Amino acid sequence: MQTRLPSKSIHALSKSLLDLKPFIPSEFVRKTRHIQDISRWKATELRLFILYIGVVVLKDILNKNIYTNFMSLYVSILILLSPDYECCIDYAESLLDYFVRTFDEIYGRQHISHNIHGLLHIVDDYRTHGPLDNCSAFPFENYMKTLKYRIRKHDKPLEQLINRYNEIYNNQNINSNLSEQHSTNEQTLLLKCHKNGPLVKKLMGYSITN
C-alpha cells in the first residue's frame, strides 16, 4: 500500500495547519506549524494534533484505510483522557488493538516500535490510575528546564544535579539555623506602662529574657 504522501499533499497539509494557526485558543501554548517540521514538534504540539486538529486536516489528505487507522487512535485516546467515558474503556481497548494490527498491515512490521506496541497496554494504566492525565509525564517534562539550569557542563549530569541539590539542602539548613538562632536571641522591649491584663511569663523590668 502506498503510504508516502506526495509533495502536493504535504504542502496542502502544511497550508491547512498554518491556516488554523490564528484560530488556536491561547490555552494552547504552542501553535501549529509546517508538517515538514514534525521531527522538531514538541509533545504539546503532537497532543494538539492528535486530539483536536488531525481529524480535520487529514480528512482530505489520507486515503480511507489510513484515515480510518488514524481515527481509531484518535477516538481511543479521547476516551482514555476523559473521566466521563469509563463505560467505553473496553471499546477503547478494541480500537487500540485495531490500530496496532492495521498499522502493521499498512506501514509494515518493521515500523512497529515500542511506542506503538505500548498502546496495547495503556488501557491497563487507565484501569489503575484513571484518565491518562493522572499518570502523564508532562509535569516531569516541564521540570526539565529547572534541571538543565542546574547543570553547568555536559560531563556527568546526574552527579552535577546531586551536588547542586546537596548545596541547596545545606544552604537551607544553614539559613534555618541562623533564623532560629536570631529568634532565640531576640528580646522584646516593653516601652509603655501596662497595669491591667495578663503578664508575659519571665517578665523582668522592661524586657523579656529567655
Side-chain angles (χ1 to χ4, degrees):
M1 181 184 297
Q2 176 64 35
T3 57
R4 283 188 175 276
L5 292 176
S7 59
K8 181 179 180 180
S9 297
I10 293 175
H11 289 304
L13 179 55
S14 281
K15 184 178 183 304
S16 296
L17 290 172
L18 295 179
D19 287 345
L20 284 173
K21 186 175 181 178
F23 305 101
I24 304 296
S26 59
E27 285 77 10
F28 295 93
V29 178
R30 296 182 180 273
K31 310 304 181 184
T32 51
R33 52 174 164 165
H34 291 283
I35 194 67
Q36 291 92 332
D37 296 329
I38 193 170
S39 62
R40 294 190 293 273
W41 282 17
K42 302 297 184 181
T44 51
E45 292 174 275
L46 295 171
R47 179 187 174 100
L48 172 65
F49 186 86
I50 194 174
L51 292 178
Y52 299 98
I53 61 177
V55 63
V56 176
V57 298
L58 294 177
K59 184 172 178 58
D60 296 324
I61 300 293
L62 304 180
N63 66 47
K64 182 179 179 180
N65 290 335
I66 297 177
Y67 185 71
T68 301
N69 174 261
F70 174 81
M71 286 296 295
S72 65
L73 178 64
Y74 161 73
V75 174
S76 60
I77 296 300
L78 202 62
I79 292 172
L80 294 175
L81 285 169
S82 173
D84 303 320
Y85 294 151
E86 189 173 356
C87 59
C88 302
I89 294 303
D90 291 339
Y91 178 56
E93 189 170 32
S94 65
L95 284 176
L96 288 172
D97 180 73
Y98 171 83
F99 171 79
V100 175
R101 179 164 43 83
T102 54
F103 187 97
D104 181 3
E105 297 170 359
I106 294 171
Y107 301 104
R109 180 154 298 184
Q110 69 275 17
H111 293 296
I112 297 184
S113 64
H114 291 293
N115 288 335
I116 298 297
H117 175 78
L119 292 171
L120 297 174
H121 303 286
I122 61 174
V123 174
D124 295 332
D125 293 331
Y126 186 101
R127 292 186 174 117
T128 303
H129 304 289
L132 295 185
D133 279 335
N134 291 350
C135 55
S136 170
F138 277 106
F140 300 97
E141 183 182 4
N142 292 337
Y143 195 69
M144 287 297 291
K145 181 179 179 181
T146 302
L147 295 180
K148 289 180 180 179
Y149 176 76
R150 303 192 187 284
I151 295 176
R152 299 172 182 173
K153 57 183 180 179
H154 296 294
D155 187 42
K156 300 179 180 179
L158 182 58
E159 182 177 326
Q160 291 184 66
L161 285 175
I162 293 173
N163 291 336
R164 296 297 84 74
Y165 277 97
N166 276 336
E167 292 169 4
I168 293 171
Y169 177 77
N170 291 333
N171 288 335
Q172 287 176 342
N173 282 342
I174 292 173
N175 293 334
S176 176
N177 291 335
L178 289 175
S179 177
E180 290 178 4
Q181 185 178 0
H182 177 72
S183 61
T184 301
N185 296 332
E186 188 177 43
Q187 292 184 336
T188 302
L189 299 179
L190 305 179
L191 302 178
K192 296 182 179 181
C193 294
H194 179 79
K195 297 181 179 179
N196 299 316
L199 296 177
V200 181
K201 291 182 179 179
K202 298 182 180 180
L203 181 66
M204 296 179 63
Y206 290 95
S207 66
I208 298 175
T209 60
N210 299 306

